């Protein structure tokens, strides 16, 4: 991710965790400010609850994105960067060009939130009926006290459940660019190719975005209105660009499925070239493409070097001389090189 290319990706580096670079958007504090206004006067300890819930959202989104990275790596792909944004997270992952790798890479994110919900389900069931109902209702926030002078842990765990439950439900909505939409996109690509699959996929997204926007207005839910407007805007934009044969960068507000992975394949008439200077987003996408290609070459070079070392050890001492970690590294390096051969072929 080129953080300097677009204001949407201005971010602060937070180090490398588990071989994955983590960055936080400079706009993330705006989420805390929104929570302050949302909870002010509605909860007894609104300031503490707002800050605690913001921190929980940050950690939950980060865990969600690490789920995508781990899912990609376990299925033979790779993942090297995460950006935590106010509206969610962006994971730079490169799954293998197979249905299994793409689908499981996408599903791994919501699975992490589901696991956290199951772990924290006990305190939710033990809470009062009002708190329990609010925890399961994405349009209602549980009125927790979070009093540090009393039993605050159950309230904190209830907030953890609420945050991950919301993230899970939102990401399972089968529309672009959410995880549910990515899984639908992957499934449609196995049956419909090109414009047919893209049209169905984007039409679903537009209808769902409109319904979420309408439902949020009727339920007086600012969060639902924002998500519905966000989904509707991106799907309409993608649909317009598909009609005008503009290549939209898949990693702009979602995963960085590089190497041309997309079920939104367009039939572009290459006989007619539009002679016009590249725009801002075209230049930004070109920089992103070069950066991805450079990272890909570096990863392949490292994989080749690692493979040579491990194969030499096998040649000298036999396959039994490899540790479990080295065998895993051998499989990963071999998978990356096979992926390269498939693309070159």
């Amino acid at each position: 991710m080129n953080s300097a290319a677009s204001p949407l990706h201005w971010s602060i580096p937070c180090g490398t965790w588990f071989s994955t670079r983590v960055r936080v958007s400079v706009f993330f504090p705006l989420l805390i400010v929104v929570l302050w206004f949302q909870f002010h006067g509605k909860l007894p300890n609104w300031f503490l609850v707002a800050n605690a819930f913001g921190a929980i959202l940050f950690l939950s989104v980060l865990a969600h994105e690490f789920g995508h990275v781990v899912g990609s790596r376990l299925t033979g792909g790779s993942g090297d960067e995460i950006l935590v944004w106010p509206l969610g997270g962006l994971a730079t992952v490169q799954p293998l060009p197979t249905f299994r790798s793409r689908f499981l890479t996408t599903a791994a994110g919501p699975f992490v939130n589901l696991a956290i919900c199951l772990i924290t389900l006990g305190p939710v069931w033990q809470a009062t009926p009002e708190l329990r109902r609010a925890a399961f209702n994405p349009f209602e926030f549980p009125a927790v006290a979070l009093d540090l002078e009393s039993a605050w842990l159950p309230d904190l765990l209830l907030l953890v459940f609420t945050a991950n439950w919301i993230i899970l439900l939102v990401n399972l909505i089968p529309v672009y660019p959410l995880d549910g939409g990515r899984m639908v996109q992957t499934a449609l690509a196995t049956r419909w190719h090109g414009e047919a699959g893209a049209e169905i996929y984007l039409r679903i997204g537009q209808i769902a975005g409109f319904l979420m926007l309408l439902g949020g207005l009727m339920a007086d839910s600012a969060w639902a209105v924002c998500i519905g407007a966000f989904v509707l805007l991106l799907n309409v934009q993608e649909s317009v660009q598909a009609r005008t044969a503009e290549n939209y960068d898949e990693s702009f507000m979602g995963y960085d499925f590089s190497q041309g992975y997309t079920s939104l394949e367009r039939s572009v008439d290459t006989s007619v070239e539009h002679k016009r200077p590249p725009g801002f987003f075209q230049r930004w996408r070109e920089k992103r493409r070069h950066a991805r290609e450079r990272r890909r070459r570096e990863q392949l070079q490292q994989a080749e070097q690692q493979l040579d070392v491990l194969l030499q050890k096998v040649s000298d001492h036999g396959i039994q001389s490899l540790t479990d970690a080295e065998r895993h590294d051998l499989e990963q390096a071999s998978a990356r090189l096979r992926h390269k051969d498939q693309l070159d072929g």
Side-chain angles (χ1 to χ4, degrees):
M1 296 177 186
N2 189 354
S3 59
S6 167
L8 291 174
H9 288 83
W10 288 347
S11 56
I12 302 172
C14 295
T16 300
W17 306 357
F18 307 106
S19 303
T20 305
R21 294 185 299 274
V22 177
R23 306 183 67 88
V24 179
S25 170
V26 297
F27 301 107
F28 189 83
L30 292 178
L31 175 62
I32 307 297
V33 176
V34 171
L35 291 175
W36 289 346
F37 282 98
Q38 188 77 13
F39 297 157
H40 179 66
K42 299 179 181 179
L43 298 173
N45 293 329
W46 65 268
F47 187 76
L48 178 61
V49 173
N51 288 313
F53 193 65
I56 292 170
L57 280 175
F58 171 79
L59 295 176
S60 299
V61 169
L62 187 61
H64 176 101
E65 299 306 321
F66 265 111
H68 291 307
V69 172
V70 172
S72 179
R73 291 175 179 174
L74 290 179
T75 56
S78 62
D80 57 11
E81 192 169 21
I82 290 174
L83 170 63
V84 179
W85 209 65
L87 294 179
L90 311 177
T92 304
V93 295
Q94 296 87 32
L96 292 183
T98 63
F99 174 84
R100 175 178 176 272
S101 181
R102 293 171 178 172
F103 190 88
L104 293 181
T105 295
T106 305
F111 178 79
V112 171
N113 300 117
L114 175 61
I116 296 175
C117 286
L118 294 176
I119 293 173
T120 57
L121 187 60
V124 175
W125 283 114
Q126 296 173 3
T128 63
E130 292 77 11
L131 289 177
R132 184 165 60 247
R133 184 190 67 251
F136 281 97
N137 185 354
F139 297 104
E140 184 179 358
F141 190 84
V144 296
L146 203 62
D147 188 356
L148 299 181
E149 296 181 357
S150 61
W152 54 268
L153 184 58
D155 286 347
L156 183 65
L157 293 177
L158 193 144
L159 290 180
V160 173
F161 175 89
T162 300
N164 283 273
W165 181 247
I166 292 174
I167 294 173
L168 174 64
L169 293 182
V170 169
N171 276 281
L172 289 182
I173 299 174
V175 296
Y176 173 86
L178 304 174
D179 290 337
R182 296 288 182 178
M183 289 185 278
V184 170
Q185 180 186 13
T186 303
L188 288 176
T190 63
R191 185 169 182 178
W192 291 288
H193 297 279
E195 296 179 355
E199 184 179 357
I200 296 173
Y201 177 59
L202 294 174
R203 187 174 299 174
I204 293 173
Q206 293 172 27
I207 295 174
F210 176 78
L211 291 178
M212 282 189 288
L213 178 60
L214 182 62
L217 290 173
M218 296 176 62
D220 193 23
S221 172
W223 297 104
V225 170
C226 290
I227 294 175
F230 174 70
V231 168
L232 179 61
L233 174 63
L234 286 185
N235 280 272
V236 169
Q237 180 181 2
E238 180 75 16
S239 180
V240 171
Q241 290 179 336
R243 294 192 187 98
T244 57
E246 290 285 342
N247 293 323
Y248 184 69
D249 186 0
E250 285 277 325
S251 67
F252 176 60
M253 292 297 291
Y255 313 121
D256 186 5
F257 287 138
S258 61
Q259 309 305 329
Y261 164 52
T262 172
S263 67
L264 303 181
E265 300 170 359
R266 289 106 186 205
S267 299
V268 181
D269 184 2
T270 57
S271 62
V272 179
E273 295 184 358
H274 299 280
K275 299 295 183 179
R276 60 180 180 181
F280 171 80
F281 282 106
Q282 288 177 312
R283 296 193 302 271
W284 176 76
R285 288 195 295 266
E286 187 66 17
K287 291 180 181 179
R288 291 291 304 280
R289 187 182 67 81
H290 287 305
R292 287 199 302 271
E293 183 61 28
R294 183 177 64 254
R295 287 199 302 269
R296 175 175 172 268
R297 288 195 300 268
E298 292 173 353
Q299 291 173 351
L300 288 176
Q301 184 177 5
Q302 293 174 358
E304 290 175 352
Q305 294 173 353
Q306 186 179 38
L307 188 62
D308 290 340
V309 172
L310 294 176
L311 289 178
Q312 184 63 44
K313 185 175 180 179
V314 172
S315 176
D316 295 340
H317 307 288
I319 188 67
Q320 68 278 1
S321 64
L322 298 181
T323 64
D324 292 340
E326 288 175 335
R327 294 192 182 192
H328 177 73
D329 292 340
L330 179 63
E331 294 174 356
Q332 290 289 319
S334 301
R336 288 186 180 180
L337 293 179
R338 286 197 302 270
H339 185 197
K340 172 181 177 296
D341 294 338
Q342 292 174 3
L343 293 173
D344 294 340

